[in-house]
Amino acid sequence: MSHNHQPPWGQPPTGPNPYGPPAMPPSRPGWTRKRILIPAAALLFFIGIAIGAADDPARTETAADAKAAPAATVTATTTATATPEPAVTETVTADPEPAPTVTKTKTVRVTVAPATGGDSDDSDDSGTSGGGGATYYANCTAVRAAGADPIRAGEPGYGRHLDRDGDGVGCE
């Protein structure tokens, strides 16, 4: 069997490896860098000297003279106290308005269904009330109107709809 057949994707490339390190650029001699940097540094040096020499000599001498002779420092302190004028105070006493009185009442009718099937408390209702007995309260207002608040689990009329936080005590 001959292994000289061509792969289906074509001939492998010939020449430099595309995944190898890049070729190094031709190196320059070391003196070429010096040929540019040294003149640039000298130019900056001379520009700095020229800027320093262009300074105003009169201003420089005045600053030197001011530093040479010590001068006395005079400090004057003045304290002024302002006397406040007498303040006029006015006391206003307001008569409080009477609080509104609420006289609206709401009549709640509680219907208690008669117990059917005898007085057996052993029957376990698996309905939504969970309280046993035939008493049913539609909401906490009905429980309060009947004077049964707070109503606990197991008491007649207790229902999960009356217990917001699920702790077994309704209409707290």
Side-chain angles (χ1 to χ4, degrees):
M1 231 178 156
S2 173
H3 292 303
N4 292 337
H5 67 282
Q6 212 175 24
W9 53 86
Q11 281 287 356
T14 57
N17 185 359
Y19 301 108
M24 296 297 293
S27 64
R28 296 182 187 163
W31 59 268
T32 57
R33 189 175 346 179
K34 293 176 189 171
R35 192 172 65 179
I36 295 172
L37 289 179
I38 291 176
L43 179 65
L44 290 174
F45 177 73
F46 287 122
I47 290 174
I49 289 175
I51 291 173
D55 195 13
D56 184 18
R59 190 173 63 195
T60 306
E61 290 173 7
T62 305
D65 291 341
K67 290 182 183 176
T73 304
V74 178
T75 304
T77 305
T78 305
T79 304
T81 306
T83 57
E85 294 182 19
V88 177
T89 57
E90 181 180 347
T91 306
V92 177
T93 306
D95 294 330
E97 294 182 17
T101 305
V102 178
T103 57
K104 184 177 181 181
T105 58
K106 183 177 181 182
T107 304
V108 178
R109 180 175 298 193
V110 178
T111 306
V112 179
T116 58
D119 291 342
S120 172
D121 285 347
D122 295 337
S123 64
D124 188 36
D125 290 340
S126 60
T128 60
S129 68
T135 306
Y136 175 78
Y137 299 108
N139 52 30
C140 287
T141 306
V143 174
R144 288 186 189 97
D149 66 318
I151 188 167
R152 291 175 170 69
E155 293 180 0
Y158 173 82
R160 282 186 280 160
H161 66 284
L162 301 173
D163 190 3
R164 282 187 289 182
D165 52 1
D167 64 349
V169 180
C171 301
E172 346 181 57

